[in-house]
Amino acid sequence: MHTFQQLVQEFETQITTRNVFPERPNNLYEPCRYLIALKGKRVRPVACLMAAELFAPIPSCTWDAAIAIELFHNFTLIHDDIMDKAPLRRGFPTIHAKYGLTAGILGGDAMSIFAYQSLSNVENNFRKVLNLFNKTAIEVCEGQQMDMDFENRTNVTIEEYIEMIQLKTSVLLAASMEIGALTAFAPEEDCKWIYEFGKNLGIAFQLQDDYLDSFGNTEKIGKQIGGDILANKKTYLYLHALQNANSVQKEQLAQWLQKEDYVAQDKINAIKEIFTHTHADQACREAVNHYSQKSFESLMQLNVPEPKKEPLMLLAKELLNREQ
Amino acid sequence: MHTFQQLVQEFETQITTRNVFPERPNNLYEPCRYLIALKGKRVRPVACLMAAELFAPIPSCTWDAAIAIELFHNFTLIHDDIMDKAPLRRGFPTIHAKYGLTAGILGGDAMSIFAYQSLSNVENNFRKVLNLFNKTAIEVCEGQQMDMDFENRTNVTIEEYIEMIQLKTSVLLAASMEIGALTAFAPEEDCKWIYEFGKNLGIAFQLQDDYLDSFGNTEKIGKQIGGDILANKKTYLYLHALQNANSVQKEQLAQWLQKEDYVAQDKINAIKEIFTHTHADQACREAVNHYSQKSFESLMQLNVPEPKKEPLMLLAKELLNREQ
């Protein structure tokens, strides 16, 4: 059994030595190399590898799947950052901010195709792996669209919001794990449980991300605090606050949403105060706990010896305690 | 044997009845449906089907490959149109012009994933098909990047230009045909010849496209005349003109390239006049003939009875005579 750190380290070695991106044309591949070199947490590929190791020594083609998943994830980040007009990613300029719109669009496109190319090296259960990958990729696009749509809607429910983050974020973590399990020829039922584990963990993780975007710490999370607030994102915090706001607070929320000229920090402070007064921060943490609990229950259902589950359990705990 | 028209008609039926795109989220899929409904010539999917029919009655999974190819092609059009700031496609507003940047980026992404999903239904020679598809998809991105890079370079050679259009345009036509042949279990050598046929035909077609962009007719080709000129594209016409221009004409070309304030039609007229005086128009038509000839020679090498080659021969002639 490997630890998270061991797998991250080996993953870095693999993705570096494989030279995924050719030298030329440089304007296409330099942005791709730039983003991959910024690393990120590598949660999805490592989760894929850990899921495989529940069932067998990690097959060599699981690494191809893990790299495919990380490339796909980075592709979505590049394009999402354009759509979200995000200036920073992992504490550094986003690709479109650094290299321009064309580099962002085309670099993302190339990254997604290299993801498929890496996936094509998978031997074990390849059809199942590919079908799950495709299904998930489509769901991720649909989740991103819902997220965009929510910005222009005033009647988003918390239920719809959970559906959106499930599609946009958590199905990819879930699929990463099931794909890992498939490459290790896991029994069908265990594949489903590991998917459920990843899905609920992903939802818990995203809800915590919402929390940290308002109540976290720039240095630790590597992006601007209050980004969601400035982008008028209908996060869990916002939706809960709106549901529980008194008439004065409702009016304040509405006014801040419409305002076009303001000092960014003023808007962030005002909205955070409403979050706190409506106990949205507390509710968000409770929701994190609810989905964490569900994910741990799925992990318990897995028909493998308990000690083997230890790395995934630690991964989950690590993810969910990064800043609390 | 089927004719081009029969296959186009059956292709429309197939792509329509399969309902490739789900109903929701509508903001994601409406732009995709819009573009696919504008049809276009369907050259690539039909070429794929024709290539299969050289070797066997068209296998049912060739249709999945043909749809994948058309979806992939449309995905590249959507993103290229954003990068090229093109207002029209097939005589109608481009997706980003009609629905906005987000719809263009995300709709294109979804389209590319649906391409892979359709391709995943291919049974015959699937690994070979998928590998060729991936290789081609990457080449198309690289070709697009070279095209973008050329806009900012003053020393592009005609050789580099041919390499660029080969990657950006012709490898997809070539791969469409080889994929069709692979799904019909064609012999390896014939797969290579059909690829060469498609590649050279694609180059001839693109060179003719350059010609028509300046010397064609808006109504017939469904896009703005002089678009390449206004975008300062280093087309075959431009590169040949630059090579053969006298000092006065060179100066005029350089001035038009730098000018920022001008009446579009003035620039188009002036540059077209230089094209004509340097015989770039004639040279371009000769290059079209050269690559057409090469493509017909590849077709002759194919080890199938001559009458079976008739539909592909007609397709090529149709493509290369659309406006002359």
Side-chain angles (χ1 to χ4, degrees), chain B residues 210-230:
Chain B
D210 285 6
Y211 179 83
L212 295 177
D213 191 87
S214 287
F215 297 101
N217 172 315
T218 308
E219 279 174 35
K220 288 198 190 161
I221 66 174
K223 55 182 179 181
Q224 199 184 356
I225 285 292
D228 290 348
I229 292 174
L230 296 178

Side-chain angles (χ1 to χ4, degrees), chain B residues 24-43:
Chain B
R24 307 187 53 210
N26 189 57
N27 287 343
L28 177 59
Y29 294 126
E30 186 190 318
C32 294
R33 283 190 291 265
Y34 162 77
L35 186 64
I36 293 295
L38 293 183
K39 299 191 175 172
K41 297 179 292 292
R42 310 300 197 201
V43 170

Side-chain angles (χ1 to χ4, degrees), chain B residues 4-288:
Chain B
F4 185 85
Q5 273 317 316
Q6 288 170 331
L7 290 173
V8 167
Q9 211 172 340
E10 180 61 20
F11 182 80
E12 297 305 337
T13 306
Q14 291 275 344
I15 203 167
T16 308
T17 55
R18 287 182 189 206
N19 278 320
V20 176
F21 303 106
E23 280 301 308
R24 307 187 53 210
N26 189 57
N27 287 343
L28 177 59
Y29 294 126
E30 186 190 318
C32 294
R33 283 190 291 265
Y34 162 77
L35 186 64
I36 293 295
L38 293 183
K39 299 191 175 172
K41 297 179 292 292
R42 310 300 197 201
V43 170
R44 295 157 196 81
V46 169
C48 172
L49 295 160
M50 282 182 172
E53 205 171 22
L54 287 172
F55 304 97
I58 300 172
S60 106
C61 72
T62 310
W63 291 96
D64 296 299
I67 288 172
I69 287 160
E70 183 65 7
L71 293 175
F72 179 82
H73 173 59
N74 278 270
F75 143 65
T76 66
L77 296 182
I78 300 170
H79 283 188
D80 286 4
D81 282 343
I82 299 174
M83 295 182 246
D84 295 344
K85 301 186 180 60
L88 291 181
R89 168 67 63 185
R90 297 169 184 161
F92 290 86
T94 48
I95 288 189
H96 69 276
K98 188 176 164 80
Y99 298 99
L101 179 64
T102 290
I105 295 176
L106 199 56
D109 291 346
M111 189 94 80
S112 79
I113 299 163
F114 278 99
Y116 274 101
Q117 195 171 56
S118 185
L119 198 73
S120 301
N121 295 322
V122 171
E123 292 289 338
N124 306 349
N125 266 326
F126 179 56
R127 288 284 184 165
K128 284 184 184 172
V129 167
L130 181 59
N131 288 340
L132 178 56
F133 190 89
N134 283 332
K135 172 176 164 283
T136 306
I138 289 164
E139 287 173 339
V140 171
C141 288
E142 293 178 349
Q144 171 66 7
Q145 183 65 54
M146 288 177 77
D147 196 14
M148 298 276 106
D149 289 347
F150 287 1
E151 283 181 40
N152 302 312
R153 283 179 51 193
T154 53
N155 59 347
V156 178
T157 65
I158 287 187
E159 213 171 29
E160 284 179 299
Y161 179 71
I162 299 287
E163 186 196 349
M164 182 278 282
I165 61 174
Q166 181 175 321
L167 293 172
K168 179 170 171 170
T169 307
S170 80
V171 294
L172 185 56
L173 184 60
S176 301
M177 296 193 195
E178 185 172 344
I179 286 172
L182 284 166
T183 61
F185 296 112
E188 205 164 314
E189 204 181 347
D190 285 339
C191 286
K192 293 311 151 201
W193 285 121
I194 195 91
Y195 185 91
E196 284 303 305
F197 169 65
K199 190 183 82 183
N200 289 302
L201 179 60
I203 295 172
F205 179 78
Q206 181 57 46
L207 290 173
Q208 184 178 256
D209 208 56
D210 285 6
Y211 179 83
L212 295 177
D213 191 87
S214 287
F215 297 101
N217 172 315
T218 308
E219 279 174 35
K220 288 198 190 161
I221 66 174
K223 55 182 179 181
Q224 199 184 356
I225 285 292
D228 290 348
I229 292 174
L230 296 178
N232 289 338
K233 290 253 175 200
K234 309 295 193 302
T235 64
Y236 190 95
L237 291 168
Y238 174 85
L239 296 171
H240 183 95
L242 193 63
Q243 249 182 23
N244 294 276
N246 59 34
S247 57
V248 176
Q249 291 163 330
K250 273 205 175 85
E251 181 58 27
Q252 287 174 330
L253 280 173
Q255 280 178 357
W256 277 113
L257 233 68
Q258 286 166 357
K259 227 176 244 186
E260 302 214 330
D261 262 343
Y262 55 80
V263 177
Q265 199 56 51
D266 291 349
K267 178 168 177 175
I268 294 169
N269 293 344
I271 303 254
K272 276 176 69 174
E273 205 174 306
I274 300 173
F275 288 170
T276 313
H277 285 163
T278 54
H279 306 293
D281 53 343
Q282 194 186 324
C284 189
R285 291 171 77 145
E286 280 165 16
V288 170

Side-chain angles (χ1 to χ4, degrees), chain A residues 23 59 61 70 111 118 122 132 143 150 168 203 239 268 280 299:
Chain A
E23 279 301 308
C61 72
E70 183 66 7
M111 189 94 80
S118 185
V122 171
L132 178 56
F150 287 1
K168 180 170 170 171
I203 295 172
L239 296 171
I268 294 169
L299 194 60

Side-chain angles (χ1 to χ4, degrees), chain A residues 125-175:
Chain A
N125 266 325
F126 179 55
R127 289 284 184 165
K128 283 185 184 171
V129 166
L130 181 59
N131 288 340
L132 178 56
F133 190 88
N134 283 331
K135 172 175 164 283
T136 305
I138 289 164
E139 287 174 339
V140 170
C141 288
E142 293 179 348
Q144 171 67 6
Q145 183 65 53
M146 288 177 77
D147 196 13
M148 299 276 105
D149 289 345
F150 287 1
E151 284 181 39
N152 303 312
R153 282 180 50 193
T154 52
N155 59 348
V156 179
T157 65
I158 286 186
E159 213 171 29
E160 284 179 299
Y161 179 71
I162 298 286
E163 187 197 350
M164 182 278 284
I165 61 174
Q166 180 175 322
L167 293 173
K168 180 170 170 171
T169 307
S170 81
V171 293
L172 185 56
L173 184 60

Side-chain angles (χ1 to χ4, degrees), chain B residues 267-315:
Chain B
K267 178 168 177 175
I268 294 169
N269 293 344
I271 303 254
K272 276 176 69 174
E273 205 174 306
I274 300 173
F275 288 170
T276 313
H277 285 163
T278 54
H279 306 293
D281 53 343
Q282 194 186 324
C284 189
R285 291 171 77 145
E286 280 165 16
V288 170
N289 289 337
H290 169 74
Y291 286 100
S292 311
Q293 200 51 44
K294 281 182 80 166
S295 77
F296 289 128
E297 284 162 17
S298 303
L299 194 60
M300 281 169 59
Q301 298 289 338
L302 263 185
N303 194 25
V304 300
E306 291 306 312
K308 291 212 163 190
K309 300 177 185 175
E310 206 54 36
L312 279 169
M313 184 70 90
L314 284 172
L315 169 64

